[in-house]
Amino acid sequence: MPTLSIWYFRTAILFLIAGICVGLYMSITHQFEGTGAHAHINLLGWVTMSIFGIYYALNPAQAESRIARIQYMVYTLGILVMGPSLFLMLTGTTALEPVVAVSSLVTFAGVLLFAVILFTRKA
Ligand code: HEM
């Protein structure tokens, strides 16, 4: 399996652990304001990242490209900042809204880079 796939799966499992911790925290405290952050960390961090990892495992030649590594870094950075800042914003630290906005756009840039990778692949 390409190194990039392994890194995607390693990063994805860390986001799943973080997402579940947020879910358990909400369940234990009965405070559900952070639901949006929990859902995004799990779906963007665990589910989508795993799909990226599977794609590169199926297309190992593409995992070697520079743009694929850049895509991993941009996407990961986006969620790394977006997850915690979204949680804090939803639970009362509204001043973090600009951080959530910028990190959401960084995450989206990672998704757009993946679209470029998909549409420019040779055969
Ligand atoms: C042990 C693991 C998990 C726990 C303890 C947990 C806990 C929770 C809790 C307490 C809520 C809020 C429910 C409410 O507002 O009434 C929630 C919502 C949600 N969770 Fe989880 N969760 C877990 C795993 C996951 C995973 C793995 C995913 C996705 C891959 C996920 C996706 C969602 C989504 C999308 C919502 C929002 C549902 C809605 O608002 O209708 N959760 N979860």
Side-chain angles (χ1 to χ4, degrees):
M1 185 160 31
T3 307
L4 191 60
S5 287
I6 293 169
W7 276 106
Y8 258 125
F9 287 124
R10 282 179 178 167
T11 314
I13 192 64
L14 293 178
F15 279 121
L16 179 60
I17 292 167
I20 286 178
C21 285
V22 175
L24 290 172
Y25 168 79
M26 293 191 300
S27 307
I28 292 164
T29 60
H30 291 263
Q31 291 173 352
F32 301 108
E33 296 87 354
T35 298
H38 162 76
H40 282 83
I41 292 167
N42 279 331
L43 294 172
L44 288 173
W46 166 242
V47 179
T48 307
M49 279 203 150
S50 297
I51 293 170
F52 290 157
I54 292 167
Y55 176 81
Y56 289 118
L58 293 173
N59 298 275
Q62 286 210 294
E64 305 305 323
S65 70
R66 201 166 116 86
I67 188 172
R69 284 195 297 275
I70 292 172
Q71 189 260 334
Y72 167 83
M73 287 187 280
V74 170
Y75 187 77
T76 303
L77 175 70
I79 303 176
L80 208 54
V81 178
M82 181 186 155
S85 60
L86 181 60
F87 178 80
L88 291 171
M89 186 189 86
L90 293 174
T91 53
T93 314
T94 49
L96 282 174
E97 190 174 343
V99 179
V100 176
V102 171
S103 55
S104 306
L105 292 174
V106 172
T107 304
F108 185 43
V111 170
L112 292 178
L113 276 174
F114 191 68
V116 170
I117 290 165
L118 289 186
F119 281 99
T120 56
R121 78 185 290 262
K122 295 174 190 71

